[in-house]
Each structure stands twice: as C-alpha cells, then as structure tokens.
Amino acid sequence: MKSNTAVIVGAQWGDEGKGKIVDVLSENFDAVARYAGGHNAGHTVIIKGKKFVLQLIPCGVLRDGRTSVIGNGVVLDPFAFMKEVNSLKAMGVKLDGHLFVSNRAQVILPYHRMIELAAENAPGRVKIGTTSRGIGPAYEDKMKRSGLRVVDLLNNDLLRTHIENACKEKNTIAHALFNSEPLDADKMYREYCDIAEQVAPFVTDTAALLNGVLRKGGSVMFEGAQGTMLDIDHGTYPFVTSSSATSGGAVTGTGVPPTAIKHVIGVTKAYCTRVGGGPFPSEIHDAIGEELRKRGNEYGAVTGRPRRCGWVDLPLLRYARMINGIDWWVVTKLDVLDQLAEIPVCVSYKVNGKKTEHVPADAGSMDKIECVFEKMPGWQKSTEGVTEFDKLPGKAQTYLQFMEKETGARIGMVSTGPDRDQTIMMDSFKPAVGM
C-alpha cells in the first residue's frame, strides 16, 4: 500500500451509505479511524448477502489485517461498545490486536441518557429528533470540562469520585426539571468497574498510533458519522448532532495534523433523505416520496425510524463541497431511481422570491426556501449491480454527469446496490484511494 489519507464524509443529513463505501475502500488503507459521534450513528455493510450493522466500531474492522480506531472525538458508551464487540466476534470477525479505543474519548454514563430522554420529551420543547442515547449530554459535559474520559474510566478511585459527584448534581437537576427518578451511584460504580475491565485491552493512545502509521508511510482512512448538514457548526442548527461531522472533525477527533489530509470524499445519495425534525428544502410530500422510501429501504440502521425523502439538492451539495473541501463524490443508491420516468433535481434556491447562492444559517430561513427544479428524464432500466460506468443506461450517465458539472467535484464511485461488489469505480479515482 502507498502512503495516503482520505476522509469519508456524508454530504447530506447522514444515512448516505458511508458504511458500504468505507468497507469497499478500506481494502486499500492500513488503518480506518472513526472521528466523531457515538452509537447514534449506524453503518450497514452487506458482504455476500451477510449483513453487519456497526454503531461505534469503524467499518474497516470487516477487512482482515486492518487497524480500526475509535478516536478521541467519539463519545463511548462502554456497554454498547462491548455488545458490538461480542456480536462481531460471534460472527467471526477478528478484533483482538486490530481494534483500539482512544484513551481520550469521552464516556457516556446513565445520567446522560436520563437527561437527554427527559429533555427531549419535556412539555413545550421543540423536538430535534435525538436518539436519546446520551450523546448530546456527554458532549455537553466534555465542553464543561466535567466529563469522564476513557483513561479515567480505568482508574477505580477516580471513577468512584466522579460518579458520586456527578450523580448528586445530575439527580438534583433531573428531578427539579423533569421529575426523574434518581440514579444509584453505588450500583453505577460497580457496573462501570466491571465494564472497564472488558474495555481496557482495547485502550491506547490512538493519536500516537495513527501518527505512527503515517510516519512509517502507511495510509489512513477517516470515517465520518452523520453528515455535513448535521454538523454542530455548519448544519441546520439546532436540528443537528452534537459533534463535528464535517471533514475538519477528522483532525480534532483523532489527533492527526491538518497537513496530513490528502483527499476528502463526499458521499451523497442519488436523491436525498433526512431522519427527524428540521428543514429539508427538497423533501417530497406525495406518493413518490413513499415509493423512494420503500425502494431504498429508508429506515434508520440504529433506530428503525422512517427517513424523509427528497430530490437531490445541488445547492446543498455545493455547500458541502465548500465546507469539507470535497474533491471526489461517491453517489449511492442510484438503482432506487430506476423506475422513475422523470427525476426533478433542485438546481438553485429562492428565499422570499429572491434567488440565493447560499445555504441560510438559520432554520427559519431554511424553512422558507423554495427549490428551483430542473426535470431530467429517467432511464427506466435496471442499474442494479452494474459495475462499469459505460454499461449504465445513457440517461443515468447523463444524470450523474449533470451532478458532477453542477457541483464542481468529480464522481469517483457509484453504488448500484447494497452489496460490496455492486459498485462502479472510476479509473481516475483509483489513485486517490491507493489503488
């Protein structure tokens, strides 16, 4: 393998199919590192019909001999982590000596889940569609400098003190605001002592590990979670996640320098989806949206929630390209559009009747966006399983070339089905991923 680095980032609202793409490309990298989010992000990978759903562990773990890293930018639920570890081992995946967890990652504790669940369901609160798994409150404690890190989880004395102090504070807050039942600090301490012993063999200084790989001329792929429009800074705030889902998060979330990043690969569906509340300019509100949901099996990998469906949004993709520095696109789920006679594409925005080239910063203005559509002819032929671009129907090729021209980044891959082998790889893209 040649020395190389690439960030795989979602260009929409998550659920773009990054798991499959990381799995396909990980063959060409020595290490795969997850840099943000928690077990609220699900990546589904299908290999020869066998389905793997990963929530915390990078998809690179499904490739023999690859090093997989959970970086410091991730918030770790140790119980969810060990459940996933044991499930993968039962499926024959080799993890020992190949999977590592940052000693600087933050730990999710039960009071994080309690507070998030209570807050999301509180009367009068605008629901933002969290998974209520404690992700947001864990990041809140991190920024308050009152969180528990994995390195601290392994120190029993520090763990006891942290849990006792935190429970006093969190139980008081939760009872006052939400009338929640108090959590038992002693029970929590015993449970976390036990799980800490199971997590300990995976823990290391992953920043040192990854920089060591690069120093020796190795290659690293950085695996994002969620998508650009869910980024805490650059997404449709407040309907966002609690971490840096954009490519910049790969640097802060793993400890590699920005100068080490060579390529940013944006993953987008051939249409668009979103889970939960928040603005969605190109959303489809008629029966076609339901048709796309069924054909694309658009239900959350973690929660099972139905995804809202819309047409591909080119202004949004241009924004994602700018924010992330995307030089290559991967287009997924092209085959879901196979039956359509006509495919609308959002080519520009209007807000209050005025054309704009920018994605508004506030959710209120996002809600007022009027999409300007250009209708393209459908191909009405199967693209499922096609592995060469020239063998796609001519109108499907035209559709992809239009996306490429209008966004300014080149298409490097096209996914034509859920399985690892149902993929088109452009020859021009291969050097970018070490092929």
Side-chain angles (χ1 to χ4, degrees), residues 53-123:
V53 178
L54 304 172
Q55 296 179 16
L56 273 168
I57 297 174
C59 300
V61 79
L62 301 176
R63 292 280 186 181
D64 288 341
R66 302 300 180 266
T67 297
S68 292
V69 167
I70 294 175
N72 57 274
V74 174
V75 287
L76 185 91
D77 182 323
F79 291 92
F81 171 70
M82 288 310 305
K83 180 180 179 181
E84 196 168 330
V85 163
N86 293 329
S87 175
L88 287 170
K89 284 184 175 180
M91 297 177 80
V93 179
K94 298 176 183 177
L95 300 179
D96 296 339
H98 299 288
L99 174 63
F100 300 94
V101 175
S102 171
N103 52 11
R104 291 177 170 85
Q106 295 279 322
V107 178
I108 297 174
L109 288 110
Y111 48 76
H112 293 133
R113 294 190 294 272
M114 173 183 72
I115 288 174
E116 186 167 42
L117 181 62
E120 183 75 354
N121 293 302

Side-chain angles (χ1 to χ4, degrees), residues 105-169:
Q106 295 279 322
V107 178
I108 297 174
L109 288 110
Y111 48 76
H112 293 133
R113 294 190 294 272
M114 173 183 72
I115 288 174
E116 186 167 42
L117 181 62
E120 183 75 354
N121 293 302
R125 176 184 168 98
V126 176
K127 292 184 181 296
I128 58 175
T130 76
T131 57
S132 297
R133 298 191 173 199
I135 310 297
Y139 277 114
E140 288 178 31
D141 278 358
K142 175 180 180 177
M143 293 306 177
K144 282 170 55 185
R145 303 176 300 281
S146 62
L148 183 79
R149 300 193 299 174
V150 169
V151 67
D152 307 320
L153 177 68
L154 306 184
N155 182 326
N156 285 359
D157 291 338
L158 197 155
L159 177 63
R160 179 184 286 279
T161 301
H162 182 92
I163 286 177
E164 288 176 351
N165 291 338
C167 280
K168 289 176 185 176
E169 175 192 344

Side-chain angles (χ1 to χ4, degrees), residues 60 112 119 196 236 252 324 384 434:
H112 293 133
T236 48
T252 57
N324 292 291
E384 186 173 1

Side-chain angles (χ1 to χ4, degrees), residues 242-395:
S242 302
S243 59
S244 298
T246 46
S247 60
V251 172
T252 57
T254 63
V256 301
T259 50
I261 305 300
K262 292 185 178 178
H263 297 286
V264 180
I265 299 166
V267 185
T268 172
K269 285 177 180 167
Y271 48 103
C272 198
T273 63
R274 164 159 214 173
V275 170
F280 187 1
S282 68
E283 184 172 9
I284 304 167
H285 296 284
D286 58 25
I288 295 179
E290 180 61 29
E291 180 185 339
L292 291 182
R293 184 179 299 115
K294 289 179 179 177
R295 282 185 52 78
N297 191 29
E298 296 295 355
Y299 300 89
V302 171
T303 64
R305 291 183 294 180
R307 297 173 185 143
R308 299 153 65 190
C309 294
W311 303 115
V312 74
D313 186 332
L314 298 183
L316 184 146
L317 292 184
R318 288 192 285 267
Y319 174 75
R321 184 199 173 208
M322 175 183 73
I323 293 298
N324 292 291
I326 292 168
D327 48 354
W328 292 97
W329 292 120
V330 174
V331 180
T332 62
K333 294 199 169 185
L334 181 69
D335 55 301
V336 175
L337 302 180
D338 285 352
Q339 295 182 354
L340 299 178
E342 190 175 68
I343 305 170
V345 175
C346 175
V347 294
S348 62
Y349 289 159
K350 286 184 180 179
V351 177
N352 295 325
K354 295 182 180 179
K355 187 175 179 180
T356 178
E357 298 296 327
H358 302 289
V359 174
D362 61 301
S365 293
M366 283 288 289
D367 278 332
K368 295 177 182 177
I369 284 176
E370 175 189 349
C371 284
V372 178
F373 288 102
E374 184 167 325
K375 294 183 178 180
M376 301 195 68
W379 42 93
Q380 295 186 294
K381 296 178 182 178
S382 177
T383 62
E384 186 173 1
V386 175
T387 58
E388 296 177 36
F389 186 81
D390 291 344
K391 292 186 178 179
L392 288 172
K395 291 176 182 177

